[in-house]
Amino acid sequence: MCEPIFEYQFRLILIGDSTVGKSSILRYFTDGKFEDACDPTVGVDFYARLMEVKPGVRVKLQIWDTAGQERFRSITRSYYRNSVGVMIVYDITKRSTFENLREWYEEARNHIEPHKAIFLVLGHKADKEDARQVTAREGRRFAEMHGLKFFETSAKSGQNIEEAFSQIAKDTYQHLQDGHIRMEDGWDGVKPGFARPRETVHLAEGEAEGGGCC
């Protein structure tokens, strides 16, 4: 008998302009820590965490953190194809990062197709209300116009970090169950899980299984 450690592996990617806080989001999600000073991502970094999508069903999220600088865009594009989930992140205190959402969204869709993917929009640094340049209504409206879900998040306070990843994991799992997403050879977006042998108990000769003394 084998006991599943996780049922499926989902490959996710975080995209968006430089300094919007993608790495901070992932550090909080995987380590529960907030680092005020983060070095810019060079190329791509990798994170992973197990998450329960329904009682007794766990998936492994393999998450790629991409650099937002233009000089790394060719590297970022190479990771789109094998992703089943995309989080597009902007900084609510920097309007230009919000204005670039459409470009990021269209680029990701163009490179992922013909495969399907779940998209989520994150308005990050929600703890900096005094410096806000983009309203929550604007962020939600962009998401709704494109049929996407939306969260405002903060890696400093932890606001909606767990909820956002839980949402994309559950939506991906449901789409897989409904047949909208399929595992395919040569595509790493969704892969089967990993199981380990269950421990077996060897009974002594003459000892009845399930029996006890007295």
Side-chain angles (χ1 to χ4, degrees):
M1 296 291 290
C2 289
E3 177 182 354
I5 296 176
F6 54 91
E7 301 286 343
Y8 300 101
Q9 176 180 287
F10 298 156
R11 184 162 166 169
L12 313 180
I13 187 170
L14 267 69
I15 60 176
D17 286 3
S18 180
T19 74
V20 296
K22 300 184 295 293
S23 299
S24 294
I25 289 171
L26 284 169
R27 287 193 181 100
Y28 187 92
F29 177 64
T30 55
D31 299 330
K33 299 176 182 177
F34 171 70
E35 295 182 22
D36 207 9
C38 290
D39 294 329
T41 301
V42 177
V44 176
D45 283 340
F46 165 78
Y47 296 80
R49 197 188 121 178
L50 295 177
M51 175 163 269
E52 193 170 73
V53 291
K54 60 184 292 188
V57 178
R58 292 191 299 176
V59 298
K60 180 181 179 181
L61 302 183
Q62 185 187 75
I63 316 162
W64 297 96
D65 176 22
T66 65
Q69 299 98 320
E70 183 63 35
R71 68 181 184 274
F72 295 119
R73 293 290 279 274
S74 61
I75 298 174
T76 299
R77 292 186 187 106
S78 68
Y79 284 84
Y80 284 134
R81 181 182 177 275
N82 281 307
S83 298
V84 71
V86 183
M87 289 180 162
I88 318 174
V89 187
Y90 69 93
D91 178 351
I92 71 162
T93 72
K94 194 172 182 181
R95 189 161 192 88
S96 62
T97 65
F98 174 72
E99 292 170 348
N100 290 334
L101 283 183
R102 185 183 300 276
E103 180 183 346
W104 283 106
Y105 175 60
E106 291 178 353
E107 179 179 280
R109 285 191 61 191
N110 290 338
H111 285 82
I112 288 173
E113 290 181 351
H115 300 291
K116 302 293 185 182
I118 304 295
F119 284 82
L120 213 65
V121 178
L122 302 185
H124 192 47
K125 304 185 184 179
D127 56 283
K128 297 184 177 181
E129 186 63 39
D130 293 343
R132 180 187 288 272
Q133 294 182 4
V134 184
T135 67
R137 182 178 179 182
E138 288 176 295
R140 191 173 294 108
R141 184 183 179 195
F142 174 89
E144 289 174 351
M145 284 176 59
H146 295 88
L148 315 178
K149 292 181 179 175
F150 169 76
F151 290 89
E152 282 202 342
T153 59
S154 168
K156 187 172 185 178
S157 68
Q159 177 183 334
N160 283 334
I161 301 291
E162 191 78 13
E163 290 82 354
F165 281 96
S166 177
Q167 185 72 65
I168 200 168
K170 288 178 179 179
D171 285 354
T172 303
Y173 177 78
Q174 191 58 53
H175 277 234
L176 182 65
Q177 298 305 301
D178 293 342
H180 302 311
I181 296 170
R182 294 182 176 86
M183 288 186 285
E184 300 177 29
D185 291 339
W187 184 56
D188 291 335
V190 180
K191 298 178 73 173
F194 175 75
R196 63 186 172 195
R198 290 181 179 173
E199 293 182 2
T200 56
V201 179
H202 299 284
L203 302 177
E205 186 177 351
E207 183 180 352
E209 184 174 358
C213 67
C214 307

